[in-house]
Amino acid sequence: MKFIKRLLALTLICIIFGVMTIFGFYQYLKPELPDVATLKEVELQTPMQVFSADGKLIAQFGEKRRIPVTYEQIPQALINALIATEDSRYYDHYGIDPIGITRAAVVVAMSGSAKQGASTITQQLARNFFLSNEKKIMRKIKEIFIALHIEQLLTKEEILELYVNKIFLGHRSYGFGAAARVYFGKDLNQLTLSEIATLAGMPKAPSTMNPLYSVERATARRNVVLLRMLDEGYITQAEFDHTRAEPIVAKYHSAEIELNAPYVAELARAWAVEHYGEEKAYTSGMRIVMTVNSTMQNAANQAALENLLAYDERHGYRGAESVLWPASETPWTEAQMDSHLRTQPTYGELVPAIVTHVQDQTAQVWVKNRGAQTLAWNGLKWARRFVTDERQGPAPTSASDILAIGEQIWVRDNGTSEANQWVLSQVPNANTAFVAMEPSDGSVQALVGGFNFVHNKFNRATMSVRQVGSSIKPFIYSAALDSGLTLATLINDAPINRWDSSQGTAWRPKNSPPTYIGPTRLRIGLATSKNVMAVRTLREVGLDETRQFLARFGFDINNVPRSETIALGAGSLTPMQLAQGYSVFANGGYYVKPHYIAYVEDPFGKLIYKTEASFICDAACEAERSAAELFFNERDYDAQYAPQVISEQNAFLVREMLYSNIWGGGNWRDGTGWNGTGWRAQTLKRRDIGGKTGTTNDSKDAWYAGYGPNTVAVSWVGFDDNSRTLGRTSGNANLDNKQITGAESGAKTAEPAWIEFMRVALADVPSQNKVIPEGITRVRIDRKTGLLTDKSDSSTLFEYFEEQSAPTQYTVNALDEDIYSGSNASNDELF
């Protein structure tokens, strides 16, 4: 009895001492223990993702890959595997497992070091959030106290959810949702039992037990997990045997970019950093949904880049990127070529390659990641020598005229099913931009900021302020209509010779080409881009009045010089600003500000931001608007509606002129037919489109801007070096007759991209009938005078007018035919 009493007393003393020791440790460490209440509002570091309006992944920004899942989304098999392997008494303890701790303590006592962990899932969670992985007694004690706090604060389900989303599983994947994607390319709920067991075995050593580092180690660890699941009764013997026999098939899966729109992604990234700060932008897991549409964006990518390459190639081949070995040296081995090409960038379609053999009209090349390929003559014959932007060498007759063994070159896949599909190419010296937007609300449908984002990250669509050439003329003519001119108003198309006393020279603006036809109707003047008519129209309106009128379209008046040269395109805009301006004509006169972000969600789909885009309130919404104004402050309510900056009638009449830029007018059979400068777009065979070419002095910038149903698009081509001209080309004898030759211009250099984009953008859009707004009348006029006529022959046509501006006079049949002839008309005759 004495022994028992002494033993009980000793036990009691030990218990008291142990409790006091634990309490002492707790009080000592309490100031260092973190506030576990932060777990209630924890924001897991999840990369920012950017999506298109139709759900295609454009980009992912962030160092850690994580795909958060809720407890309900965790497969039961994964929960079973984790509990069986990591913490079989998970649902029975309060954060620590006394049996496991006792076992670990025995190991420490026997070995003198902490070789065994015995950490519960809760303890692992505590370590992952608040502590390091160092194996020290003090860290272990802290881990125990934190785990106990966590169990008091969170439910078992909440703890498991945090664990599943937090744990590091190798290759920058954090959480099982991301690991499922990284190793197997699947969502978590699509994994097989074998794949779940593989992932469940990785927390012990994620860097060395993942199947990419060692399939053997991953397989052995998976089998341990399966055995534990069998022992705990989570799977049957048959399931164990079947799954254990399965091989592990894994490979690295990067974030699968579904839509190539890097300039759009960069706009989203910069916006997020500006609004939320860099740390939150890259770690909060926000999902930014852009307004771009994948069909439109792909069409813009293809149209803009193919057009740029076509421009570049018709000006000639500038030679190899570099010479890797001269003819006198031993050729490189395949291993040497592979090693070198791995260090070379790929620019979209353009892939680096090395010439290995040249014979007759073919060449053998070693292509990055593709090995030996053949360049047939069809992929080489374009490559006559580049001399200057104005001159090209003779057409080549053999491959040796173009290439030599040992040269590093660029090739691209021509996208056909032919066996010899590779084409010689080169990185273009010129650049491009393309913008498409919805004119009714300003949402950007597609955006291309340059040839290639990897090559140059400067976004020319939103940042490059360039002279717009004749693309500015529709705004000049809109001002003219606003001041009382009509589509039938005659403007003298005759040379201008005006002395500029400040410069000591005469200003002589010229048409391009320099042909003049005398008094011409306003519609024809814009559609055929008559420079001298634009100047005379500007003078009729007034320079200051015109500049103020241009400000209505959202243009910075500081970029519109106080000079008559603005009628010829001296004003400077970005492609986005020009698209914004043309949207006013397309939507009936309303200013809509472009926007490219639709909304932003947190990782769980909760809306955290939405762009409040302005939209057009037409007749259909006026009743709703009036009713709403009874409950809302009128100023606040009107903020969601786009302001009307020109009349619906004015916008309609400008669209008529833009329509004529493509379709011209008159009748070719009776000799009255004529084409506008944008006639190439007739190939689209649509009567509901219109646009305007733009070419600056010396062809430094080429533009085409225009509209179709629900779309306004702007195409630009030019050199980043603004002193360099786009030049001219002669015909290549190796190619067919459908070549672009002569001086580069908006119609030749920029419009082809606009046409190809619209071909796709409008493919499934029915042609729309012309809607004539109220206040517009249509009357028959005389072609030459623009006055009313009683005739109905080929000398007449129907024209649209605002009712208050419609002509009231009839043409005089006996009018002298030569009254308007001659190119020496005075400056004040017909303006």
Side-chain angles (χ1 to χ4, degrees):
M1 287 296 295
K2 288 183 179 181
F3 174 77
I4 294 174
K5 288 181 180 180
R6 290 175 181 174
L7 181 62
L8 289 176
L10 179 63
T11 301
L12 181 61
I13 292 171
C14 289
I15 292 173
I16 294 173
F17 179 77
V19 170
M20 291 178 64
T21 300
I22 293 173
F23 182 76
F25 266 120
Y26 178 75
Q27 291 298 320
Y28 174 74
L29 294 174
K30 187 176 181 180
E32 300 179 23
L33 296 179
D35 181 9
V36 298
T38 58
L39 292 177
K40 277 287 189 179
E41 300 177 354
V42 67
E43 288 190 8
L44 297 171
Q45 293 188 15
T46 306
M48 173 178 69
Q49 292 182 310
V50 183
F51 293 88
S52 67
D54 50 344
K56 305 293 185 182
L57 181 63
I58 296 174
Q60 181 168 285
F61 298 97
E63 191 173 319
K64 297 179 179 180
R65 289 186 64 178
R66 181 180 274 116
I67 303 174
V69 292
T70 63
Y71 178 80
E72 291 72 21
Q73 294 171 323
I74 303 173
Q76 186 60 47
L78 177 58
I79 295 175
N80 295 341
L82 290 173
I83 291 175
T85 308
E86 301 292 334
D87 190 354
S88 60
R89 287 176 287 276
Y90 175 69
Y91 289 108
D92 300 324
H93 62 64
Y94 297 96
I96 59 174
D97 183 0
I99 298 175
I101 291 176
T102 301
R103 183 177 64 248
V106 172
V107 172
V108 170
M110 295 179 64
S111 65
S113 61
K115 294 183 178 180
Q116 190 165 334
S119 293
T120 63
I121 286 176
T122 312
Q123 288 175 266
Q124 291 182 52
L125 183 68
R127 180 169 66 247
N128 283 324
F129 268 102
F130 303 114
L131 302 170
S132 68
N133 287 320
E134 60 181 353
K135 291 186 177 182
K136 292 184 178 180
I137 295 297
M138 193 59 68
R139 193 272 297 165
K140 196 70 175 179
I141 294 172
K142 290 181 181 180
E143 181 183 292
I144 291 172
F145 289 140
I146 295 171
L148 293 171
H149 280 193
I150 290 174
E151 289 277 351
Q152 293 174 346
L153 180 70
L154 303 178
T155 65
K156 292 289 187 180
E157 290 76 14
E158 290 172 329
I159 293 170
L160 263 177
E161 181 180 310
L162 283 172
Y163 179 82
V164 165
N165 285 314
K166 175 68 176 179
I167 194 75
F168 174 63
L169 294 170
H171 287 277
R172 293 175 55 202
S173 61
Y174 289 79
F176 285 87
R181 276 283 173 192
V182 167
Y183 295 107
F184 302 112
K186 299 179 180 180
D187 290 333
L188 195 56
N189 60 5
Q190 297 174 323
L191 297 180
T192 64
L193 177 59
S194 173
E195 292 165 343
I196 285 174
T198 300
L199 296 183
M202 286 166 52
K204 182 177 181 180
S207 297
T208 58
M209 288 186 175
N210 72 73
L212 302 184
Y213 179 84
S214 172
V215 173
E216 292 75 15
R217 289 188 180 188
T219 301
R221 181 61 179 166
R222 178 203 65 180
N223 294 342
V224 170
V225 174
L226 291 173
L227 184 59
R228 289 293 303 134
M229 294 180 74
L230 177 65
D231 291 343
E232 296 293 327
Y234 291 126
I235 59 175
T236 65
Q237 185 66 48
E239 288 175 316
F240 172 80
D241 294 337
H242 174 76
T243 306
R244 190 175 185 277
E246 289 184 18
I248 296 176
V249 180
K251 67 177 183 177
Y252 181 76
H253 295 79
S254 60
E256 187 175 347
I257 304 302
E258 301 171 290
L259 177 61
N260 178 30
Y263 290 97
V264 175
E266 175 57 19
L267 287 172
R269 187 203 66 80
W271 178 90
V273 170
E274 178 184 354
H275 284 75
Y276 298 103
E278 190 164 315
E279 182 176 354
K280 185 173 182 180
Y282 296 153
T283 62
S284 65
M286 66 178 70
R287 295 164 47 93
I288 303 179
V289 179
M290 310 300 283
T291 58
V292 298
N293 171 280
S294 63
T295 300
M296 297 286 204
Q297 184 65 44
N298 284 328
N301 290 344
Q302 185 77 11
L305 301 186
E306 289 297 328
N307 180 62
L308 179 63
L309 291 173
Y311 161 82
D312 189 68
E313 291 176 2
R314 66 175 172 262
H315 280 261
Y317 182 57
R318 293 183 295 278
E321 186 76 10
S322 62
V323 177
L324 302 180
W325 71 85
S328 59
E329 292 186 2
T330 303
W332 284 9
T333 64
E334 292 178 359
Q336 286 176 303
M337 290 189 290
D338 277 334
S339 177
H340 174 76
L341 290 175
R342 278 196 296 269
T343 68
Q344 303 303 302
T346 297
Y347 298 135
E349 294 182 3
L350 269 60
V351 184
I354 300 171
V355 181
T356 58
H357 187 72
V358 178
Q359 182 177 11
D360 298 330
Q361 293 188 332
T362 62
Q364 297 297 317
V365 294
W366 192 266
V367 182
K368 179 181 180 180
N369 298 328
R370 300 293 293 271
Q373 301 292 333
T374 299
L375 289 179
W377 186 239
N378 279 340
L380 291 170
K381 62 184 181 181
W382 67 268
R384 55 184 175 171
R385 183 170 56 90
F386 172 87
V387 180
T388 68
D389 290 325
E390 306 284 334
R391 292 179 53 225
Q392 301 81 43
T397 59
S398 67
S400 61
D401 292 340
I402 307 166
L403 302 173
I405 294 173
E407 291 181 338
Q408 180 184 325
I409 60 172
W410 298 95
V411 296
R412 60 190 174 93
D413 190 330
N414 69 4
T416 70
S417 58
E418 299 174 13
N420 297 319
Q421 76 269 33
W422 290 96
V423 175
L424 175 67
S425 193
Q426 60 189 351
V427 176
N429 278 349
N431 228 301
T432 190
F434 197 96
V435 175
M437 62 182 286
E438 163 62 69
S440 66
D441 64 7
S443 57
V444 175
Q445 300 169 320
L447 184 147
V448 177
F451 157 65
N452 184 270
F453 187 76
V454 174
H455 183 259
N456 191 308
K457 294 176 173 55
F458 181 66
N459 189 338
R460 294 153 191 84
T462 61
M463 302 169 67
S464 185
V465 181
R466 306 288 295 229
Q467 286 194 357
V468 294
S470 294
S471 296
I472 200 73
K473 289 177 181 175
F475 306 101
I476 306 292
Y477 281 66
S478 177
L481 295 172
D482 191 68
S483 68
L485 275 64
T486 73
L487 300 189
T489 298
L490 296 181
I491 308 293
N492 199 12
D493 180 28
I496 294 175
N497 189 339
R498 179 176 181 177
W499 181 259
D500 187 338
S501 57
S502 64
Q503 298 291 329
T505 60
W507 185 48
R508 299 186 179 95
K510 297 180 180 180
N511 287 341
S512 179
T515 58
Y516 306 88
I517 58 176
T520 305
R521 285 177 284 116
L522 206 69
R523 179 193 282 265
I524 298 175
L526 178 59
T528 58
S529 203
K530 295 288 188 177
N531 288 337
V532 295
M533 290 182 64
V535 174
R536 285 193 165 95
T537 302
L538 172 66
R539 290 177 178 174
E540 176 66 12
V541 178
L543 177 57
D544 290 335
E545 291 79 4
T546 300
R547 292 179 74 238
Q548 292 300 324
F549 190 85
L550 295 183
R552 298 187 188 185
F553 297 87
F555 303 155
D556 184 353
I557 199 168
N558 295 319
N559 289 332
V560 181
R562 194 178 183 279
S563 166
E564 289 183 347
T565 57
I566 63 173
L568 308 181
S572 298
L573 300 170
T574 66
M576 181 70 79
Q577 290 170 333
L578 192 60
Q580 168 188 294
Y582 272 72
S583 290
V584 176
F585 300 133
N587 66 29
Y590 296 86
Y591 169 81
V592 290
K593 187 176 181 180
H595 66 281
Y596 42 83
I597 293 176
Y599 59 90
V600 182
E601 297 177 335
D602 70 8
F604 299 102
K606 180 182 177 182
L607 185 69
I608 58 177
Y609 173 87
K610 183 178 181 181
T611 298
E612 296 296 333
S614 58
F615 61 92
I616 297 168
C617 184
D618 53 21
C621 79
E622 282 297 340
E624 177 185 347
R625 177 178 182 177
S626 298
E629 287 174 354
L630 297 175
F631 301 98
F632 296 98
N633 178 280
E634 184 175 349
R635 181 179 176 184
D636 292 341
Y637 189 73
D638 282 346
Q640 65 184 302
Y641 293 111
Q644 188 164 16
V645 294
I646 62 174
S647 70
E648 185 180 5
Q649 294 76 23
N650 186 301
F652 171 80
L653 295 175
V654 174
R655 287 201 305 275
E656 280 296 298
M657 291 187 280
L658 297 177
Y659 166 85
S660 294
N661 179 258
I662 293 175
W663 287 103
N667 190 315
W668 294 99
R669 287 174 295 182
D670 59 27
T672 61
W674 56 275
N675 267 328
T677 58
W679 59 267
R680 288 173 174 82
Q682 292 177 14
T683 185
L684 294 175
K685 296 181 172 56
R686 295 189 69 114
R687 294 281 180 167
D688 52 359
I689 58 176
K692 182 68 187 72
T693 51
T695 311
T696 61
N697 284 344
D698 300 321
S699 297
K700 292 181 179 178
D701 296 271
W703 299 81
Y704 196 81
Y707 67 89
N710 306 318
T711 299
V712 165
V714 172
S715 170
W716 170 84
V717 177
F719 288 96
D720 289 336
D721 177 2
N722 198 32
S723 66
R724 189 170 174 182
T725 68
L726 290 166
R728 60 188 302 118
T729 57
S730 58
N732 186 335
N734 284 344
L735 306 181
D736 59 31
N737 294 326
K738 296 180 180 179
Q739 300 178 56
I740 292 176
T741 59
E744 299 288 349
S745 64
K748 298 176 183 178
T749 316
E751 188 181 12
W754 188 91
I755 292 171
E756 292 310 312
F757 170 79
M758 284 297 191
R759 195 185 304 280
V760 176
L762 303 181
D764 298 323
V765 180
S767 293
Q768 297 184 359
N769 294 326
K770 188 178 299 183
V771 178
I772 303 173
E774 293 183 8
I776 292 290
T777 185
R778 186 169 180 257
V779 299
R780 186 183 290 274
I781 62 170
D782 178 73
R783 288 184 184 275
K784 290 185 176 181
T785 66
L787 300 178
L788 295 172
T789 181
D790 290 326
K791 293 184 177 182
S792 59
D793 57 20
S794 61
S795 68
T796 69
L797 59 84
F798 281 101
E799 187 57 280
Y800 293 101
F801 298 88
E802 290 193 61
E803 290 178 348
Q804 68 273 17
S805 302
T808 56
Q809 291 181 305
Y810 280 80
T811 186
V812 179
N813 295 337
L815 194 64
D816 186 351
E817 292 288 339
D818 296 327
I819 191 171
Y820 300 120
S821 64
S823 61
N824 297 317
S826 64
N827 285 352
D828 58 354
E829 181 185 357
L830 294 177
F831 315 137

